[in-house]
């Protein structure tokens, strides 16, 4: 029982029980009482968040199921943001899902199963558990993308997501199989020890395994050149599902990258460090340059995600050659801070899109936001904060996130031309600022395209307000969250 350590997996246990209860109970809930399943889902998320917060206060790293599952500070911070993103997704989905007749138990249970897969991946300390979490998350998301069965583009997006997601899973699985063949173990910490002790860093199977693992991680992050699924799936999926895909799975992909590359393949860091740098630069170029030409808001946010992941990868690769554990923790903490604040701003942006969408109207085009400031000034302000954050404009939190990434990059002593790379990153951020600020211009300076009134449910209004204020306040006083992320990474690296 000590090896099982059910306390370490308490958040996942709560989510699993809630997802099963919602799925079964919804069979007996009348159509007019769907809010019961919704309330139960939010209660389960709150309970899981409380469990994660309590585990974050623990001074030691905990293991469960014979070391296959790890509960460390990094995992708890990522889980808290994943739970927050999923909760926002369910709250924001109300009007949209009701108008399109999929405000049902399937939506709630699949969202909870997606989150369960995300949290399993975040805490996986074993190659097999990483793959199980990945499949749980992916299969639930495939079903969610296809929720609108009568919509052709939704079906097309689900098929593309399924085929390319299976390809990415195959890359990861093939890399894992070669890694197992080279080291003879599935345990990530043991993999690192055997690579270092047996001096097999130059073994061809290990190098090939690293290439396939980086490619699979690139797919899951949506980094170029493995980005081809992102814009089509973002545009074709129901908007609440797009919100979910754009937030929580990115946190899981970051965790998998850390577990596999930093914790498992540290002895061959010189190889994957350059791969991540190349992915980062290509993602910055492809994402930002292509987003400029988009008129569809969801598609634009899809391409912008590619650029955002490029920025995060810059911090990720900077931790390799920092020289000390503290400098590495600073770089990885910057990457964690960046991906967390990216998720927060992205959720707010999609929340406004969902607010504007009504029956028969998707509000997907940038032009659909015309004159929002004159109709609903507060919602326009929240959207502006989200755009400023993603663009890296103060006082939104995205500015500080980009700043700490650049600081981590400039502290890199691996021999790469960090100043040139930082300049390139800043230039592409300026390109990105154009299409983000274009959205703000449409909201504030274009005449409204319609005059009909619209509003949100009280809990949606509260969530949007909290979301927008968080983006602003964390930009003004980012020290607490940044300290939490850096401290979590330091305790994870030394634990």
């Amino acid at each position: 029982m000590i090896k099982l350590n059910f306390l370490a997996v308490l958040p996942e246990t709560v989510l699993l029980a809630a997802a099963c209860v919602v799925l079964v109970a919804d069979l007996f809930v009348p159509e007019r009482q769907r809010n019961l399943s919704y309330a139960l889902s939010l209660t389960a998320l709150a309970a899981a968040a409380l469990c994660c917060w309590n585990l974050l206060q623990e001074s030691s790293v905990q293991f469960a199921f014979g070391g296959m599952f790890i509960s460390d500070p990094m995992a708890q911070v990522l889980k808290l943001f994943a739970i927050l993103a999923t909760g926002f997704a369910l709250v924001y989905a109300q009007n949209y899902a009701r108008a399109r007749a999929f405000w049902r138990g399937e939506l709630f249970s699949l969202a909870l199963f997606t989150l369960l897969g995300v949290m399993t991946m975040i805490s996986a300390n074993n190659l097999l558990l990483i793959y199980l979490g990945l499949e749980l998350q992916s299969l639930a998301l495939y079903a969610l993308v296809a929720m609108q069965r009568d919509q052709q583009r939704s079906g097309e997006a689900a098929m593309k997501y399924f085929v390319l997601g299976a390809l990415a899973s195959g890359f990861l699985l093939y890399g894992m199989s070669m890694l197992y063949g080279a080291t003879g173990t599935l345990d990530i910490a043991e993999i690192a020890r055997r690579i270092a002790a047996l001096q097999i860093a130059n073994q061809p199977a290990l190098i090939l395994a690293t290439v396939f693992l980086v490619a699979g991680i690139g797919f899951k992050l949506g980094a170029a050149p493995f980005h081809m699924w992102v814009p089509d799936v973002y545009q074709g999926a129901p908007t609440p599902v797009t919100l979910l895909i754009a937030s929580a799975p990115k946190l899981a992909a970051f965790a998998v990258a850390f577990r596999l590359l930093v914790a498992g393949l540290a002895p061959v860091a010189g190889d994957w460090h350059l791969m991540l740098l190349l992915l980062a630069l290509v993602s910055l170029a492809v994402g930002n340059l292509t987003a400029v030409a988009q008129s569809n808001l969801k598609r634009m946010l899809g391409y912008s995600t590619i650029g955002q992941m490029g920025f995060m990868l810059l911090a990720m690769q900077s931790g390799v050659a920092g020289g000390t554990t503290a400098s590495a923790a600073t770089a990885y903490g910057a990457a964690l801070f960046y991906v967390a604040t990216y998720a927060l701003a992205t959720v707010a942006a999609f929340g406004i899109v969902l607010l504007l969408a009504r029956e028969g109207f998707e509000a997907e085009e940038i032009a659909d936001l015309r004159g929002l400031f004159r109709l609903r000034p507060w919602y326009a302000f929240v959207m502006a904060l989200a755009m400023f954050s993603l663009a890296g404009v103060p006082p939104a939190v995205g500015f500080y996130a980009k700043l700490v990434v650049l600081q981590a990059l400039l502290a890199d002593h691996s021999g790469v031309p960090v100043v040139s790379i930082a300049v390139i990153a800043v230039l592409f951020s300026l390109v990105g600022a154009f299409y983000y600020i274009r959205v703000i211009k449409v909201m504030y300076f274009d005449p409204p395209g319609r005059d009909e009134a619209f509003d949100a449910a009280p809990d949606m209004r509260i969530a949007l307000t909290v979301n927008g204020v968080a983006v602003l306040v964390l930009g003004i006083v980012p020290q607490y969250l940044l300290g939490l992320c850096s401290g979590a990474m330091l305790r994870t690296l030394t634990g």
Side-chain angles (χ1 to χ4, degrees), residues 449-489:
R450 61 197 181 281
D451 295 323
E452 67 267 25
F454 62 91
D455 210 342
D459 52 347
M460 186 174 181
R461 290 199 300 270
I462 293 171
L464 279 170
T465 300
V466 171
N467 201 168
V469 170
V471 170
L472 179 61
V473 171
L474 288 175
I476 298 172
V477 284
Q479 292 82 1
Y480 174 75
L481 180 58
L482 182 60
L484 179 67
C485 292
S486 298
M489 295 306 305

